[in-house]
Amino acid sequence: MKKEYYSTFLQGLEEPVAGILHKTGGVSVTRMLKGAVIYRSVHEPHLSCMQRTYQVLCEMRPEKNLNAALQRLSATDAWLDRFDFESIAGMRFRIVTAVDGQPSAGDMRFVSMLEKSICEQTGMLVARERPQVELWVNLRQEALYFLWRLNKKEGQKNEDPLRRDLCETMAALARPQGGETVILGLTGPNLPEALRAQGAASVQAVMAGHLKNGQAQRGMTRILPGTPGCSGLEAESMDAVFVALAPKGSFSIQEEDLRGTLREATRIVKRDGRLVVFYPRSLGQPFRRLYEQERLFSYQVTVSGEECRLEGFRIPEVPLS
């Protein structure tokens, strides 16, 4: 039986995320929202293109504020049939209150009311420190959602400034299945791992300046000894080329170096190959010379508080000079 889930992702990537979900077996999309999606799945989803995933316990009409939302949830048992009573008795939980997915404090009197109702109905125990479960009260403009967070466990800290969920979407847009790919300015393991997961035959890269030479990178076929502007690869040898300038932590690159990276990218990509670029908007239009080419997609997203652009191009028969 399909259960209902709510997942969040970078706002602005609604179109590619919908495409990924439609290609995922056993998943049917119910509704796309700004930066979130509601869908049904026959299995508990593990979608790397998502930031957070929750099981939907209850969806109700929106309230004027979080306190009204907490009061309403305390007064109803509409969410009870979504709990597996045999497995949750004695589990420690805390309530997270949020507006549009961002944690926001509610009045603790009303939080306590809902906690008491949950304890009485389910046998769960309140543990605001180190809980086993987070139950989210998420108030959005279109609805009030009561959610059970699924991917709460935090893995090892990832120093890559390019987020994994963003990299998964970038890789899906590049369609690298069976192709040769290269990253000009590698920042960490997230993008090469995503490309391999999407079926890339090989993933090569020139490292960013802040990475040490010889540093092992998961998902990599080969680390090239050159620079982003001089990879040493043969002309028209790559099916897909990536240039990703992540905000707050990416390698520093001067304007002339950026022009050289662009020339190198268009030199090594195959005709009709894909060139994917990601960059902070604060850089202006560093890839404006590509705009005369066929633009396949263009999305605006906010990462680490900075507006960025994700764009993809198909390179014509005659390369840029």
Side-chain angles (χ1 to χ4, degrees):
M1 182 180 70
K2 287 187 176 182
K3 294 182 179 180
E4 192 170 39
Y5 298 94
Y6 175 105
S7 291
T8 64
F9 52 86
L10 285 171
Q11 186 170 321
L13 297 180
E14 288 77 13
E15 183 179 67
V17 166
I20 292 172
L21 285 173
H22 284 305
K23 294 178 182 178
T24 303
V27 170
S28 56
V29 175
T30 304
R31 186 160 68 258
M32 291 296 302
L33 310 170
K34 288 185 177 180
V37 59
I38 299 173
Y39 56 98
R40 294 185 177 275
S41 175
V42 294
H43 304 292
E44 183 175 308
H46 299 281
L47 300 168
S48 299
C49 65
M50 302 300 183
Q51 182 181 18
R52 296 174 182 155
T53 295
Y54 311 79
Q55 183 181 345
V56 177
L57 300 174
C58 185
E59 178 180 346
M60 311 175 82
R61 61 173 173 77
E63 294 288 347
K64 60 182 178 181
N65 56 45
L66 276 173
N67 293 335
L70 288 163
Q71 285 180 291
R72 188 174 181 198
L73 285 169
S74 300
T76 183
D77 60 1
W79 38 267
L80 272 178
D81 62 350
R82 300 293 179 93
F83 282 90
D84 182 354
F85 291 97
E86 292 184 2
S87 64
I88 65 173
M91 290 185 72
R92 304 184 306 277
F93 77 95
R94 72 177 171 197
I95 291 173
V96 178
T97 53
V99 176
D100 292 329
Q102 299 301 313
S104 180
D107 191 313
M108 287 308 298
R109 292 177 300 166
F110 302 121
V111 172
S112 296
M113 287 173 55
L114 182 54
E115 288 174 339
K116 182 180 178 182
S117 178
I118 293 170
C119 292
E120 291 176 347
Q121 299 279 5
T122 68
M124 297 176 74
L125 305 173
V126 176
R128 293 171 184 165
E129 298 293 331
R130 298 184 179 180
Q132 295 170 281
V133 177
E134 282 186 356
L135 300 178
W136 282 57
V137 178
N138 185 17
L139 181 60
R140 291 180 57 115
Q141 183 177 6
E142 74 281 348
L144 164 63
Y145 300 99
F146 190 30
L147 309 166
W148 177 299
R149 184 173 176 182
L150 297 178
N151 54 346
K152 179 62 180 69
K153 292 183 179 179
E154 304 293 343
Q156 185 177 0
K157 186 177 180 181
N158 194 329
E159 299 297 337
D160 192 340
L162 277 179
R163 293 169 44 149
R164 182 57 186 262
D165 53 339
L166 171 63
C167 289
E168 290 286 341
T169 304
M170 291 171 62
L173 287 167
R175 301 176 186 173
Q177 295 92 339
E180 305 290 325
T181 65
V182 66
I183 304 164
L184 299 181
L186 179 69
T187 62
N190 287 345
L191 185 52
E193 286 187 334
L195 288 167
R196 293 306 290 265
Q198 286 289 330
S202 73
V203 182
Q204 304 180 68
V206 177
M207 284 202 246
H210 74 281
L211 293 176
K212 297 179 181 179
N213 288 331
Q215 180 178 351
Q217 293 294 330
R218 299 188 304 272
M220 294 303 305
T221 302
R222 182 165 66 121
I223 299 292
L224 301 169
T227 66
C230 185
S231 67
L233 292 168
E234 294 183 6
E236 300 184 21
S237 60
M238 294 288 112
D239 296 286
V241 177
F242 288 81
V243 180
L245 309 178
K248 297 183 179 180
S250 184
F251 64 100
S252 176
I253 188 166
Q254 303 299 317
E255 184 176 355
E256 58 270 23
D257 297 327
L258 195 54
R259 289 198 298 268
T261 301
L262 173 59
R263 285 194 295 270
E264 181 68 356
T266 54
R267 182 186 73 84
I268 61 179
V269 68
K270 292 178 180 178
R271 301 308 103 190
D272 284 334
R274 292 197 170 204
L275 174 53
V276 178
V277 297
F278 177 80
Y279 59 95
R281 290 193 65 188
S282 58
L283 292 178
Q285 293 185 326
F287 302 102
R288 58 186 175 273
R289 291 189 68 207
L290 288 174
Y291 294 168
E292 62 195 64
Q293 318 307 335
E294 180 184 356
R295 182 158 22 185
L296 300 173
F297 54 83
S298 180
Y299 304 109
Q300 182 172 314
V301 299
T302 301
V303 180
S304 302
E306 190 168 356
E307 290 187 1
C308 301
R309 295 205 70 86
L310 171 59
E311 298 179 315
F313 302 88
R314 179 178 288 118
I315 305 304
E317 292 297 325
V318 180
L320 293 175
S321 58

